[in-house]
Amino acid sequence: MMARAPSGVSVAEVKPNRPPTVFESRLYAVCKSIPEGKVSTYGAMAAVLKSAPRAVGQALRRNPYAPAVPCHRVIAASLELGGFSGQWGLQTPNVCKKRALLEKEGVLFDARGKLVDESQCLGAEELGRACRAAGCEA
């Protein structure tokens, strides 16, 4: 079953080669609830969605709505940067872009790519609350 683009995304921002699935639409709504200056993990998002971290990562890799759906705010369970747009490794262009986007929002990482301030990471419970407050249905 296919769904619609996330609310708050203009037609100019939409560039999918297919409509998002129902799962992707739910995932994008949860991702949009992560506020600037915060991050969450693939695992926390999976817990909120009652899914698997790998499914979350695969769907975010295909996110056609960035930056309206801020997938750069999702990091690995180890609190390291993780991948971005299908690339892994601190020196890859996409992960460097992810780091720059997060640092611009005040989320800092050490030389190994690990989150400096763990209080900036929303766990599953906090993410669920943020999602409900934003009116999304996970």
Side-chain angles (χ1 to χ4, degrees):
M1 175 183 251
M2 298 306 215
R4 297 179 40 203
S7 64
V9 177
S10 74
V11 174
E13 294 174 295
V14 178
K15 51 186 176 198
N17 57 4
R18 62 166 175 72
T21 64
V22 171
F23 171 75
E24 289 168 340
S25 293
R26 290 175 52 230
L27 172 72
Y28 299 154
V30 173
C31 191
K32 285 179 67 173
S33 72
I34 303 170
E36 187 173 316
K38 298 284 187 182
V39 293
S40 192
T41 66
Y42 298 98
M45 291 190 74
V48 169
L49 292 162
K50 295 177 179 51
S51 182
R54 190 160 296 212
V56 169
Q58 290 298 314
L60 288 178
R61 181 179 65 126
R62 293 187 300 269
N63 173 18
Y65 306 111
V69 174
C71 55
H72 65 279
R73 295 184 187 147
V74 184
I75 63 174
S78 62
L79 303 184
E80 294 173 333
L81 279 161
F84 193 55
S85 298
Q87 290 185 348
W88 283 81
L90 292 178
Q91 302 308 316
T92 60
N94 289 348
V95 176
C96 288
K97 179 180 178 181
K98 177 179 185 172
R99 184 180 199 141
L101 287 167
L102 288 168
E103 287 180 349
K104 185 177 178 184
E105 295 179 1
V107 181
L108 304 178
F109 294 84
D110 67 19
R112 295 173 302 141
K114 184 151 181 160
L115 183 65
V116 172
D117 182 357
E118 293 184 15
S119 72
Q120 290 180 296
C121 186
L122 303 178
E125 191 174 310
E126 292 172 293
L127 182 58
R129 280 195 302 269
C131 184
R132 287 187 296 280
C136 72
E137 295 180 31

